[in-house]
Structures are given as C-alpha cells and as structure tokens.
Amino acid sequence: MTEIRTPRLLLRSWHDDDLAPMADINADPRVMRWIDDGSVRDLDHTAEDIERWEEEWDEEGFGLFAVELLASGELIGFTGLSVPEFLPEVMPAVAISWRIGSQFWGQGYASEAAHATLEFALQDRGLDRVISINRVGDNASENVIRKLGMVPERETAHPVYGYPLRVHAIDLTEFQA
C-alpha cells in the first residue's frame, strides 16, 4: 500500500494500535452526526470497518488511509477512496471521503489529506473522475469539497435513510487546470 506525506500528515496503512483511537472518533456523536443514521459506532463495529477498508485496498488498489499527525504520530482519522455501492445511481464511480476526530477540526487537516488523496486518485491510480457525496447541511464537508475544486453534479436522497445528498465531481482535466 502507498504512503503519502503532506506537510503535516502521513496517510498510511492501518496498524493494530489504530483501533482504539478510531473507535473513539466513531464514538463521538459530533463526528457521526452526518454519517448514515447518525449513530455512533463501538469498538467491534470499528474493527469490522477497518477490516473492510483493508480488504478494499486488496480488491480495488485503493481504499481508506489512516491519517496520522507527522509531529506526534497520533491517529486523527481517515481519508481515502471507495466505491459508493450504496448509491447505485452514481455508479460506476469512485468517491473520496474523510472522517477526522472533532478535536482536530478547524485546522485544515481534512482539506490537506483530501487534496493529497485526490491527487493520488487522479495521478497515481489513473482515475479520470472522482466524486464526493455529502449530506446536505454538512457545511464543513461542503467547504472541503469546494477547496478540492469539485462542483455540484446532482442532488438525490439517501436510499436507506431518505435525507438529501449532494454529489460533487471533478475530472482529471479540471484537476490539472
């Protein structure tokens, strides 16, 4: 698996000692507010998530990176690429996403990690197009998406929970511009 260094972050594979800090992030209602039905996740669910994310790397050649602060080695969350199978109307597609612990919000880490991931997707993995799907009203994610240069493509509803979603996209030619 690829490692990516940014000025402040290391995007890397998952380690066994990432489980507890990622479970803490997933247990924070403020972090999980905009994800699925807004429910927090426990240690077991987080372990299943990480296992699935690692499998995606093997199957797709991309996946979700653990995001670590270079200065301290502390896990602050994830960013990466996945196939958004939960939303069939956008398929085939690869989506970029992130989840950062609330104590790290407002410092530009999500934007820094997402930009490095987008560059990885379009330049290293040779993807022609990447989307991002966010829940309407999640202004923090919307800000990161705009910083990536992605533009709104459509609005739809989550097929399970029914809330409004906004799909943004960027293609290789727009990224290089």
Side-chain angles (χ1 to χ4, degrees):
M1 180 184 147
T2 302
E3 282 191 352
I4 301 171
R5 287 182 185 268
T6 71
R8 301 179 297 164
L9 305 171
L10 175 64
L11 284 59
R12 59 162 174 79
S13 62
W14 293 89
H15 302 157
D16 291 341
D17 59 357
D18 293 331
L19 177 57
M22 193 66 223
D24 288 345
I25 293 167
N26 284 341
D28 183 340
R30 293 178 303 157
V31 172
M32 300 305 290
R33 175 181 177 197
W34 301 105
I35 300 165
D36 294 333
D37 67 353
S39 297
V40 296
R41 297 183 180 154
D42 63 16
L43 192 73
D44 290 339
H45 192 154
T46 301
E48 292 169 10
D49 285 345
I50 291 172
E51 185 177 327
R52 190 176 64 255
W53 301 336
E54 289 176 320
E55 288 171 3
E56 191 160 32
W57 275 101
D58 294 336
E59 294 167 8
E60 302 288 348
F62 55 75
L64 299 178
F65 292 100
V67 178
E68 169 185 310
L69 286 180
L70 279 174
S72 66
E74 187 175 7
L75 181 82
I76 66 166
F78 71 70
T79 187
L81 304 168
S82 60
V83 177
E85 294 173 355
F86 78 95
L87 196 60
E89 69 191 73
V90 301
M91 297 299 290
V94 175
I96 187 170
S97 60
W98 49 87
R99 186 176 307 156
I100 303 293
S102 60
Q103 68 270 39
F104 304 105
W105 291 354
Q107 300 174 57
Y109 294 135
S111 296
E112 186 174 327
H115 187 272
T117 301
L118 184 58
E119 188 173 301
F120 166 76
L122 296 172
Q123 295 178 350
D124 186 82
R125 289 301 181 237
L127 299 176
D128 294 328
R129 181 174 178 272
V130 175
I131 67 169
S132 186
I133 304 164
N134 75 296
R135 193 166 167 181
V136 172
D138 181 356
N139 295 327
S141 288
E142 194 83 32
N143 288 337
V144 173
I145 291 166
R146 276 197 300 275
K147 288 178 185 176
L148 293 174
M150 300 181 110
V151 295
E153 188 174 84
R154 73 168 75 183
E155 291 204 10
T156 188
H158 193 289
V160 175
Y161 305 112
Y163 52 71
L165 295 174
R166 189 169 292 129
V167 179
H168 299 79
I170 190 168
D171 68 28
L172 181 59
T173 58
E174 292 165 337
F175 182 73
Q176 292 176 335

